[in-house]
């Protein structure tokens, strides 16, 4: 009798376990997808040994610092609106205090094609006028008493008090795969650097991003990138006009168009990027001086005398330069949540 009771108990346990195994188990509820956040803010800063813009130094080959702040609104995952402001330290012929940029635009994306359309304003507050001939009533654009009091620069170059201007731009970046991308850029200004001359800049870019494991588990990434561009320029106004036995450009000089290129390697870690880059242009020292109004050059050579540069001074502001730039870039959603 005892054996029968034990057997019955065992059978009940086995059948109970089997029945329990057949019961449907309650699935764990998947966490809800993160809510779409349309607003974001990008911001960052940088320090570099030289500030180069389209192959030409903006800081007289001296160190420069920069910072930016860019609110963004994501209409959806493929369409972003943005506004931004940035600042860079410079060393301009008109002795402007800084470069302040105000910009805005739209960034639509279609698969591997990322577009960017907008307007960029370059402001240079605190400048002074240097041109002894641009006195009030002379008819020269930019004429003011300040020009007469300051005279021309020591090497005879001239500079307007205000070099501010704006550009409209369009960009296309194509992500070929996870490692390769190419870009095409177009900028146009009706009055580049307030020279009185139109400006058009076109360039192509390429970038290779190394696999994330190139430096093991260190978290350090690497890329190699480069750009080739062409800056076309029209004729300046009379403020920059010159007259010599070579030509009469009293109404304004034909500003020298030029090619520029750069190539470099970058290393990334968390929010930091160290970019090491080589820049150059095909501008001669004479053409560079005529275009930039280099306030510091004392490099005189009869070979530098040209129709647009009759003073014979040459500038190295447009020559080969190596730049090391350390920057930090963050976004509110990614880095501050």
């Amino acid at each position: 009798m005892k054996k029968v009771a034990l057997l019955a108990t065992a059978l009940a346990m086995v059948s109970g376990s089997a029945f329990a195994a057949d019961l449907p188990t309650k699935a764990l509820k998947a966490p809800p997808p993160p809510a779409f956040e349309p607003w974001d803010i990008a911001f960052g800063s940088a320090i570099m040994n030289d500030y180069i813009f389209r192959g030409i130094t903006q800081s007289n080959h001296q160190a420069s610092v920069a910072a930016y702040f860019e609110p963004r609104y994501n209409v959806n995952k493929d369409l972003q609106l943005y506004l931004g402001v940035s600042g860079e330290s410079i060393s301009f012929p008109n002795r402007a205090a800084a470069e302040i940029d105000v910009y805005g635009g739209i960034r639509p994306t279609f698969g591997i094609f990322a577009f960017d359309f907008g307007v960029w304003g370059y402001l240079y507050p605190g400048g002074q006028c240097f041109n002894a001939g641009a006195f009030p009533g002379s008819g020269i654009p930019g004429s003011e008493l300040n020009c007469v009091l300051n005279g021309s620069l020591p090497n005879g170059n001239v500079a307007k008090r205000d070099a501010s201007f704006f550009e409209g731009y369009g960009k296309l970046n194509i992500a070929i795969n996870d490692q390769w991308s190419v870009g095409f850029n177009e900028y146009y200004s009706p009055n580049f650097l307030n020279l009185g001359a139109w400006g058009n800049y076109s360039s192509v870019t390429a970038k290779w991003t190394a696999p994330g494991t190139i430096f093991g588990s260190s978290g350090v990434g690497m890329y190699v990138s480069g750009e080739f561009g062409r800056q076309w320029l029209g004729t300046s106004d009379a403020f920059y006009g010159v007259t010599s036995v070579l030509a009469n450009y009293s109404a304004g000089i034909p500003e020298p168009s030029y090619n520029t290129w750069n190539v470099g390697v970058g290393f990334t870690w968390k929010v930091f990027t160290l970019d090491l880059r080589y820049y150059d242009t095909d501008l001669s020292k004479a053409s560079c001086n005529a275009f930039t109004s280099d306030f510091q050059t004392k490099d005189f050579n009869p070979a530098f005398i040209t129709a647009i540069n009759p003073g014979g001074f040459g500038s190295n502001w447009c020559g080969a330069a190596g730049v090391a730039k350390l920057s930090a870039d963050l976004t509110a959603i990614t880095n501050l949540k």
Side-chain angles (χ1 to χ4, degrees):
M1 192 68 182
K2 192 174 186 179
K3 290 183 180 180
V4 173
L6 288 172
L7 180 60
T9 302
L11 289 172
M13 292 176 64
V14 171
S15 63
S17 297
F19 178 73
D22 290 337
L23 286 174
T25 57
K26 189 174 182 180
L28 294 175
K29 194 171 184 179
F36 178 72
E37 299 186 42
W39 287 101
D40 199 0
I41 297 174
F43 57 98
S45 60
I47 183 170
M48 63 208 95
N49 66 300
D50 196 353
Y51 171 26
I52 303 289
F53 177 71
R54 297 178 189 169
I56 298 174
T57 181
Q58 309 293 288
S59 58
N60 191 22
H61 291 307
Q62 303 299 312
S64 175
V65 294
Y68 72 94
F69 180 81
E70 184 183 295
R72 300 169 174 175
Y73 180 77
N74 299 299
V75 179
N76 53 49
K77 66 181 183 65
D78 295 321
L79 182 61
Q80 182 182 89
L81 309 177
Y82 64 93
L83 290 172
V85 61
S86 66
E88 295 83 15
S89 60
I90 59 172
S91 184
F92 263 30
N94 68 354
R95 317 312 295 144
E99 176 183 321
I100 304 298
D101 303 327
V102 180
Y103 60 94
I106 182 171
R107 296 179 179 129
T109 301
F110 303 94
I112 64 172
F113 302 99
F115 294 88
D116 189 351
F117 304 101
V119 177
W120 197 292
Y122 304 80
L123 309 176
Y124 302 98
Q128 301 179 52
C129 180
F130 295 91
N131 186 345
F135 52 86
S138 65
I140 296 177
S143 298
E144 51 191 81
L145 182 60
N146 180 252
C147 297
V148 181
L149 296 177
N150 290 335
S152 298
L153 295 166
N155 51 26
N157 285 336
V158 298
K160 285 182 181 177
R161 179 182 61 83
D162 186 12
S164 303
F165 71 105
F166 74 91
E167 290 182 313
Y169 59 86
K171 306 178 190 179
L172 169 61
N173 189 74
I174 304 174
I176 299 172
N177 52 41
D178 290 341
Q179 291 182 267
W180 286 97
S181 64
V182 295
F184 304 89
N185 309 291
E186 177 71 23
Y187 294 78
Y188 177 79
S189 172
N191 189 2
F192 188 75
L193 280 169
N194 198 25
L195 296 172
W198 58 265
N200 187 85
Y201 180 72
S202 302
S203 75
V204 293
T205 63
K207 184 177 182 179
W208 174 75
T209 303
T213 57
I214 189 169
F215 294 109
S217 59
S218 64
V220 176
M222 187 187 82
Y223 64 83
V224 178
S225 64
E227 177 183 24
F228 179 85
R230 173 76 175 175
Q231 177 73 66
W232 287 275
L233 294 164
T235 299
S236 76
D237 59 33
F239 186 94
Y240 297 95
V242 295
T243 303
S244 70
V245 296
L246 299 175
N248 180 5
Y249 287 134
S250 59
I253 65 170
E255 295 287 351
S257 300
Y258 66 94
N259 298 319
T260 179
W261 53 91
N262 68 75
V263 62
V265 58
F267 301 93
T268 61
W269 181 72
K270 296 186 178 179
V271 302
F272 301 101
T273 300
L274 175 63
D275 189 276
L276 308 174
R277 193 158 300 273
Y278 168 83
Y279 292 86
D280 207 351
T281 77
D282 62 357
L283 278 169
S284 67
K285 284 192 171 184
S287 293
C288 182
N289 184 63
F291 174 48
T292 66
S293 292
D294 184 342
F295 67 92
Q296 192 167 329
T297 181
K298 299 177 181 178
D299 186 8
F300 174 82
N301 191 313
F304 296 156
I305 298 175
T306 67
I308 64 172
N309 191 56
F313 285 93
S315 172
N316 70 347
W317 281 11
C318 313
V323 177
K325 178 180 180 181
L326 178 63
S327 58
D329 301 279
L330 304 88
T331 61
I333 289 181
T334 303
N335 303 109
L336 300 183
K337 288 188 67 175

